[in-house]
Amino acid sequence: MDYKKVFKNQETRFKILRLMKFIPDKTMISIQYKMKLGRTPNLISPERYTEKLQWYKLNYRTPLLTQASDKYAVREYIKSKGLEGILTKLYGVYKNPNEIELKTLPEKFVMKTTNGSGTNYLCKNKAEFPINEIKESLNKWLKRDIYSSGREWCYKNIEPKIIVEEFLEDNANQFDGINDYKFICFNGKPQYVVLDVDRHVKHKRNIYDLEWNLLEVSTDHSNIDRVIPKPMGLEKMIEVAETLSKDFPHVRVDLYWVNGKVYFGELTFYPWTGYVQFSPDEFDLVLGNKFSLPSI
């Protein structure tokens, strides 16, 4: 069942999920998994990657997950790993949208909330940036209960804020915007690279091994319709992903390679909320086999 077709408005979906917060996590996760993937998850002895991600939500809980998931607090974690150089410039941090003064910001920037995914705005021309409308959206986003939507524990205790960061541009890129390199890592070992392109136009996705061999695997987005050469910074990005993933049984390290330099994107502990259908389906088991669940 594609619930997004039934409830097309995102805010409506969040309100409904908030009303269902009384449902225990394990029960709600099982319901969502069944609705989205058409099968009942094994949460006792999980084998699939998508099942183990649900187990991860329910059982693996440490304050470090909260810090690493907070788009502002994670900056200190990056610095603690000696990787301050991969951080984008930070222009401002705000608890309330009304604190934002557009005149103090550069011509181009990225504005986002610290407690969720997909809650960001790209400003390419400050003169055309509808700041009042955006402040209304930011107010709604700050009030969202991200945790109740997918029971992703890492977001539960984040203090919501707004941050404004550097706008990255790659003029040599053949796609719209910048390419997003997502490294799926287990216990400090990157295993695969998910490449997302044209995020704001017609989102496409490929999955590669670490040698940049294209895998015949797809998800909910079409594969890229052309050959993508191995990025010059692949080895450097793998090195960064290793460093940033060592403290976790599993994390996806999202990076950018722009104008000959690695930039940090975010750390994601439950990719796609764990509700992704791979094709072929066997890839779910391949990833699951690499995911060794920690002892609790």
Side-chain angles (χ1 to χ4, degrees):
M1 172 184 176
D2 189 348
Y3 68 97
K4 291 185 179 180
K5 291 183 178 180
V6 179
F7 304 104
K8 296 181 180 180
N9 184 277
Q10 189 181 59
E11 289 303 322
T12 299
R13 296 198 298 268
F14 272 99
K15 288 178 182 177
I16 292 171
L17 290 168
R18 203 159 48 238
L19 291 172
M20 300 173 73
K21 193 173 181 178
F22 68 93
I23 298 175
D25 289 348
K26 186 175 181 180
T27 302
M28 190 62 185
I29 282 173
S30 295
I31 291 171
Q32 289 182 321
Y33 190 96
K34 176 72 172 179
M35 287 177 62
K36 296 181 181 184
L37 297 179
R39 55 179 178 265
T40 301
N42 180 347
L43 300 177
I44 304 301
S45 301
E47 295 184 359
R48 292 173 173 270
Y49 176 64
T50 51
E51 291 174 332
K52 289 187 175 183
L53 286 175
Q54 309 314 318
W55 184 99
Y56 205 37
K57 292 180 192 177
L58 292 167
N59 296 287
Y60 188 74
R61 300 180 172 184
T62 166
L64 188 55
L65 287 190
T66 301
Q67 179 187 3
S69 301
D70 183 321
K71 291 180 174 58
Y72 176 57
V74 71
R75 297 176 69 92
E76 290 303 316
Y77 179 72
I78 301 300
K79 292 176 184 178
S80 75
K81 296 297 180 180
L83 292 172
E84 183 174 1
I86 69 172
L87 292 170
T88 55
K89 295 176 184 175
L90 180 67
Y91 299 129
V93 185
Y94 314 92
K95 290 186 177 182
N96 188 311
N98 293 325
E99 298 172 2
I100 301 171
E101 293 186 25
L102 201 57
K103 64 182 180 182
T104 66
L105 299 176
E107 183 66 23
K108 298 181 180 182
F109 55 82
V110 177
M111 187 176 289
K112 64 180 74 171
T113 61
T114 61
N115 63 326
S117 178
T119 53
N120 53 57
Y121 280 107
L122 307 180
C123 176
K124 298 181 181 181
N125 182 351
K126 192 165 65 170
E128 299 178 357
F129 196 61
I131 187 63
N132 291 329
E133 294 177 23
I134 286 169
K135 285 181 178 180
E136 290 182 15
S137 294
L138 291 170
N139 266 317
K140 292 178 182 178
W141 290 347
L142 290 175
K143 294 174 183 176
R144 276 184 181 176
D145 183 354
I146 302 298
Y147 168 67
S148 66
S149 65
R151 306 303 169 99
E152 297 175 284
W153 182 86
C154 67
Y155 298 116
K156 186 174 185 179
N157 300 310
I158 293 176
E159 179 185 1
K161 296 178 183 177
I162 303 158
I163 57 173
V164 180
E165 296 179 316
E166 178 182 4
F167 184 96
L168 298 177
E169 292 183 278
D170 185 353
N171 295 326
N173 192 14
Q174 58 182 307
F175 299 102
D176 180 73
I178 56 178
N179 295 348
D180 200 345
Y181 299 91
K182 305 170 184 289
F183 292 81
I184 299 177
C185 307
F186 303 101
N187 291 308
K189 300 295 182 183
Q191 297 288 339
Y192 298 100
V193 191
V194 179
L195 172 63
D196 282 302
V197 303
D198 285 342
R199 293 289 301 273
H200 305 289
V201 183
K202 193 174 182 181
H203 194 166
K204 303 180 187 69
R205 175 180 293 149
N206 279 356
I207 301 179
Y208 300 86
D209 65 16
L210 295 188
E211 300 300 321
W212 204 248
N213 296 305
L214 177 64
L215 304 185
E216 293 185 6
V217 177
S218 62
T219 59
D220 54 339
H221 292 286
S222 301
N223 289 117
I224 302 169
D225 55 0
R226 68 193 79 173
V227 175
I228 307 299
K230 177 180 175 180
M232 294 293 292
L234 181 61
E235 286 73 21
K236 179 62 178 177
M237 287 191 287
I238 291 173
E239 180 183 323
V240 169
E242 286 178 346
T243 300
L244 294 181
S245 62
K246 285 180 180 178
D247 293 331
F248 310 105
H250 167 60
V251 65
R252 195 187 72 198
V253 180
D254 299 357
L255 303 170
Y256 306 111
W257 176 254
V258 180
N259 301 323
K261 183 180 176 182
V262 178
Y263 287 93
F264 175 73
E266 62 182 288
L267 298 179
T268 304
F269 294 97
Y270 322 113
W272 310 292
T273 321
Y275 303 134
V276 58
Q277 179 59 60
F278 293 104
S279 179
D281 183 59
E282 287 76 16
F283 193 65
D284 198 5
L285 292 166
V286 170
L287 284 177
N289 188 52
K290 296 180 181 295
F291 191 170
S292 297
L293 296 175
S295 298
I296 300 299

